[in-house]
Amino acid sequence: SLYLDSRTEYLLLVAIVVSIWIVVFVRHTQHAAVGGAVTKWYLHRNTDRSATRCCGGSAVALGLWHALRYHAGSIAAGSLLITTLKLIRIAFFLLKRTFYQRVSRGLDACGCNGSNRLAAMCLCCISCCLKCVEKSLEALSRYAYAQMMRSKRSFCPS
C-alpha cells in the first residue's frame, strides 16, 4: 500500500486542480481564438491589415494572438469558474460513490442498517442539476468569449 503524508497529499491535490485548470484554460483559449477568427473574417474582412504584419495573414493565428495578449486574464477567470464547478462535481461524485458503497454493504449514509432510496434519488437529482449547470455555463462562456473578442471587453461585461 502506498503511504503519503499530509503535505504530499496536499501537493498532489493542488497538482490535480492545476492540471484540470490548465486543460480547461487551453480549451477556452481555443474557443476565444476561434471567436476572434470568426470575428476577423466576418466583421473586419477588408478593414484590418494587422494580421499580415503579425500573424502572416491567418485569421486563426490573429485570433489566438489577441486572445493570449489581451484577454488571457478573462480566459483564466472563465476557466477558473468552470474548473470550480468541475471540482464540485468531482467531490459530489466521490460522496455519491461512498454512499452507494455503504448501501451495497447494507448500511445507509448514517451507518445504520437498511437503505435509503430517497437519499439515492436526491443524489441523482443533484448530480443531474450540477451537470446541467456546468454545461450551461460552458455554453455561456463560449458565447462570452466570442463577444469578448468582438467587443474587446473583458469576460464579465461580455
Side-chain angles (χ1 to χ4, degrees):
S1 174
L2 179 66
Y3 173 74
L4 301 174
D5 61 346
S6 62
R7 183 173 187 268
T8 307
E9 286 177 352
Y10 175 74
L11 290 175
L12 183 63
L13 182 66
V14 168
I16 290 170
V17 169
V18 169
S19 298
I20 292 171
W21 190 15
I22 288 172
V23 168
V24 173
F25 178 81
V26 168
R27 189 176 69 215
H28 286 209
T29 303
Q30 173 196 4
H31 295 318
V34 169
V38 169
T39 299
K40 167 78 175 124
W41 177 81
Y42 190 72
L43 298 176
H44 307 288
R45 202 175 320 182
N46 298 321
T47 59
D48 190 11
R49 299 289 179 214
S50 63
T52 334
R53 206 177 39 224
C54 129
C55 303
S58 170
V60 175
L62 182 67
L64 182 63
W65 169 256
H66 280 287
L68 290 176
R69 180 173 170 124
Y70 300 112
H71 302 293
S74 295
I75 295 169
S79 63
L80 180 63
L81 179 69
I82 299 297
T83 301
T84 304
L85 277 171
K86 284 189 181 301
L87 292 174
I88 290 171
R89 282 193 56 230
I90 289 170
F92 190 76
F93 171 76
L94 294 174
L95 176 74
K96 191 168 88 170
R97 190 178 75 179
T98 302
F99 174 78
Y100 284 128
Q101 285 174 350
R102 287 180 150 281
V103 168
S104 68
R105 289 187 307 209
L107 303 172
D108 65 4
C110 303
C112 305
N113 288 333
S115 64
N116 194 344
R117 294 181 195 270
L118 180 63
M121 186 179 70
C122 288
L123 286 175
C124 288
C125 289
I126 292 171
S127 176
C128 182
C129 289
L130 283 174
K131 181 74 171 180
C132 288
V133 167
E134 180 185 347
K135 290 300 177 183
S136 297
L137 276 177
E138 282 181 358
L140 187 65
S141 66
R142 210 181 247 191
Y143 294 128
Y145 291 136
Q147 182 70 15
M148 182 178 70
M149 296 301 284
R150 186 188 70 77
S151 66
K152 295 180 175 50
R153 292 188 302 177
S154 65
F155 181 75
C156 290
S158 297

